[in-house]
Amino acid sequence: MRFRIHINKFGQESFLPINYQYELSAAIYKTIDRADSDFSRFLHEEGYLAFGNKFRLFTFSRIFFEQFKVIKDAGRIHHQGNAAFFEISFLIDKAAEEFIKGLFLDQEFVLGDKISRVFYQISSIEAVQPPLFKENMRYRCLSPVFLRRKRSGGGEDYLHPENSHYGILLMQNLLSKSKAYELANQWDESPTGGQIPDFEFTPIGKIFKNGVKIKQLTEKETQLIGYSFEFELKAPVELHEIGYHAGFGHLGSQGFGCVEVKGGVV
């Protein structure tokens, strides 16, 4: 399920870091923890397991500010207005809608680092009607898609959408999430049988490079490279649903891979 979370700024502070994804992810975990610590602990420590990997099957968009100004030299966003919103998606049954709403409503959180921070209160939360999923869909990124590939000699590459391996790795990631969800719900078999199905992945138009700093201003600071773009995807309907609700690519729970349907189906 997907939700739109409306937030209002309070207090005197109005500057937050441009790279706020990690901080927003932490704020989401803390918000859930205050309302339901068991659910928070499951998402953060356990997750859904498949092929020896953990998948935290949710994703969220960037924040859409009512009024703002980007100050690149300072690495800050000046939130000049009071209102903003973002969307968050969970690969979870519709029956949990009221439960999820209850976790977030009226909660407060802070976004910032050692330099500046902004305080927000969640004013309202509403369920977003899911699109009609078909085999051919066109998407637009609401947060950058991050896809990495490990090197045989160590380290990893952050793939560009035009890389010849991008589509296959995107599908493998969706299948892994499908398997994790299948095991958690004790399904007998995944919709695709665990095999990579026939698919077509096509990036459309301009591709924007997004460098995102994780744990900034600490000894563990890391810069990840994702990309924002539009793309068309032909794949089984079930994998479209997983990508839409849990994120396309890696690190959905860190705010990567959130998309919206662009112009309906292809």
Side-chain angles (χ1 to χ4, degrees):
M1 289 207 65
R2 176 166 294 196
F3 301 87
R4 177 168 291 185
I5 296 180
H6 297 270
I7 58 178
N8 285 319
K9 182 181 70 178
F10 69 92
Q12 300 301 313
E13 293 86 352
S14 59
F15 292 90
L16 66 154
I18 289 176
N19 289 278
Y20 60 77
Q21 282 181 228
Y22 179 79
E23 286 74 17
L24 181 54
S25 177
I28 289 170
Y29 278 115
K30 289 178 182 177
T31 298
I32 294 174
D33 184 60
R34 284 195 295 268
D36 191 309
S37 58
D38 289 339
F39 185 50
S40 172
R41 190 177 303 110
F42 169 74
L43 286 175
H44 190 66
E45 297 178 5
E46 298 179 36
Y48 299 85
L49 297 173
F51 309 114
N53 295 316
K54 294 179 182 179
F55 296 90
R56 299 170 179 88
L57 300 179
F58 74 94
T59 186
F60 57 90
S61 72
R62 66 183 183 275
I63 297 175
F64 299 91
F65 299 96
E66 178 186 46
Q67 291 177 285
F68 72 100
K69 181 179 180 180
V70 176
I71 307 173
K72 289 185 178 180
D73 292 343
R76 304 287 109 180
I77 294 174
H78 184 196
H79 186 181
Q80 299 168 319
N82 287 316
F85 73 88
F86 65 94
E87 294 190 355
I88 184 168
S89 291
F90 294 89
L91 189 58
I92 197 168
D93 192 86
K94 182 174 172 57
E97 177 179 336
E98 294 305 317
F99 168 72
I100 296 296
K101 287 182 177 179
L103 294 178
F104 287 95
L105 192 58
D106 296 327
Q107 295 278 4
E108 297 177 356
F109 64 92
V110 60
L111 286 182
D113 54 23
K114 296 178 180 179
I115 297 175
S116 64
R117 58 184 182 173
V118 181
F119 294 87
Y120 291 101
Q121 181 177 44
I122 296 173
S123 58
S124 65
I125 176 171
E126 60 194 60
V128 177
Q129 185 69 21
L132 175 62
F133 292 103
K134 295 189 176 182
E135 288 191 350
N136 295 280
M137 304 286 288
R138 181 167 177 169
Y139 298 104
R140 181 173 76 93
C141 291
L142 297 180
S143 62
V145 176
F146 174 69
L147 204 58
R148 59 188 173 190
R149 178 182 57 186
K150 291 184 178 180
R151 303 175 191 148
S152 57
E156 56 188 20
D157 296 314
Y158 304 149
L159 296 191
H160 188 281
E162 293 179 337
N163 185 289
S164 59
H165 299 282
Y166 196 93
I168 191 73
L169 288 176
L170 194 71
M171 295 301 294
Q172 288 175 343
N173 179 262
L174 290 175
L175 286 171
S176 294
K177 291 172 180 173
S178 174
K179 182 65 175 179
Y181 191 66
E182 165 204 336
L183 293 174
N185 289 276
Q186 299 182 338
W187 290 350
D188 293 331
E189 186 177 359
S190 64
T192 63
Q195 302 297 317
I196 295 178
D198 292 335
F199 75 94
E200 294 179 12
F201 166 79
T202 308
I204 305 294
K206 189 170 183 179
I207 298 172
F208 299 91
K209 182 179 179 180
N210 298 131
V212 178
K213 292 181 180 179
I214 302 296
K215 300 182 180 180
Q216 58 188 341
L217 303 179
T218 72
E219 294 180 354
K220 296 182 179 180
E221 178 175 304
T222 303
Q223 175 141 327
L224 306 177
I225 305 298
Y227 296 89
S228 294
F229 57 104
E230 293 183 14
F231 62 95
E232 293 179 358
L233 180 65
K234 179 181 179 182
V237 170
E238 294 85 355
L239 295 185
H240 283 286
E241 293 186 64
I242 288 170
Y244 179 83
H245 290 296
F248 285 94
H250 297 114
L251 299 184
S253 63
Q254 295 294 326
F256 289 97
C258 186
V259 304
E260 67 175 359
V261 173
K262 176 73 174 180
V265 298
V266 179

